[in-house]
Each structure stands twice: as C-alpha cells, then as structure tokens.
Amino acid sequence: MRKLNPEKLNQFSTFNEELDQKHGTPGTPERLQFDEESLAWFYGNMLRERRKELNLTQKQVAEKLGREQSYIARVENGKADIQLSSFFRIAAILGIQFVPTFMQAIR
C-alpha cells in the first residue's frame, strides 16, 4: 500500500472549507440561500428520475396535475417555489408515497 505524504495532504482544503469559501459559512444569508437551492434541486432531481423510470413526459405529469409542462420543468430544475402540498401531489402522480415519522427530541 502506498503511503500518503502528510505535508502534501495539508496543502489541500476540505470540501467544507471550499463550500464555506464559495457560499459563505453556515448561518449566513448566502449559505442559507445555497442550502435552499440545493434542496430544491435535490428534490426536483428525485422527481425527474422517478418520472423517467415510469417513462412519463413532463407534459403527461403536468396534465395529471392540471398545470403547464413548464411548471414541471421548473420543479425538476429546482427553480420553482413549490408548496409542500404540490410536491406531495406530484409525488403521488409518480407513485411516491411519504410516510411521516415523528420523533421526540431528546433533551
């Protein structure tokens, strides 16, 4: 096994350091915006992948939802400010079911 050089390793920054430098430290407005956009993209991507698994077009999903195809495109790209109820309706069309789990915080 090849041994790593600690001096060279110390020259590299961590992912968290890169994230902090590019998008601000946790709690800053810039980082909060980045986190929100990242989550929107993640959930939109999840819906897109499921839609593709089902061989459905954006237009077909939009028709079942009673919306325009462009709305589904914006949701899938994380560019729509989507309400939770709309997200659940799209998920249901795609056969995704969410089961709520409530946990009590340990103090």
Side-chain angles (χ1 to χ4, degrees), residues 38-106:
S38 297
L39 280 174
W41 177 87
F42 174 79
Y43 288 118
N45 190 62
M46 180 183 67
L47 294 174
R48 175 181 30 255
E49 292 301 314
R50 178 62 179 155
R51 176 183 59 76
K52 288 181 176 183
E53 286 175 9
L54 297 173
N55 293 315
L56 294 172
T57 66
Q58 289 178 342
K59 185 174 182 165
Q60 289 170 318
V61 173
E63 287 172 352
K64 291 180 181 186
L65 189 63
R67 301 293 300 257
E68 298 292 322
Q69 176 273 330
S70 60
Y71 174 73
I72 300 301
R74 288 193 324 274
V75 168
E76 290 184 354
N77 289 314
K79 302 297 181 191
D81 189 12
I82 186 171
Q83 293 182 345
L84 189 58
S85 59
S86 296
F87 177 80
F88 284 150
R89 287 178 55 214
I90 296 169
I93 289 168
L94 299 173
I96 301 171
Q97 182 179 10
F98 291 93
V99 179
T101 302
F102 298 96
M103 298 174 59
Q104 185 175 3
I106 300 173

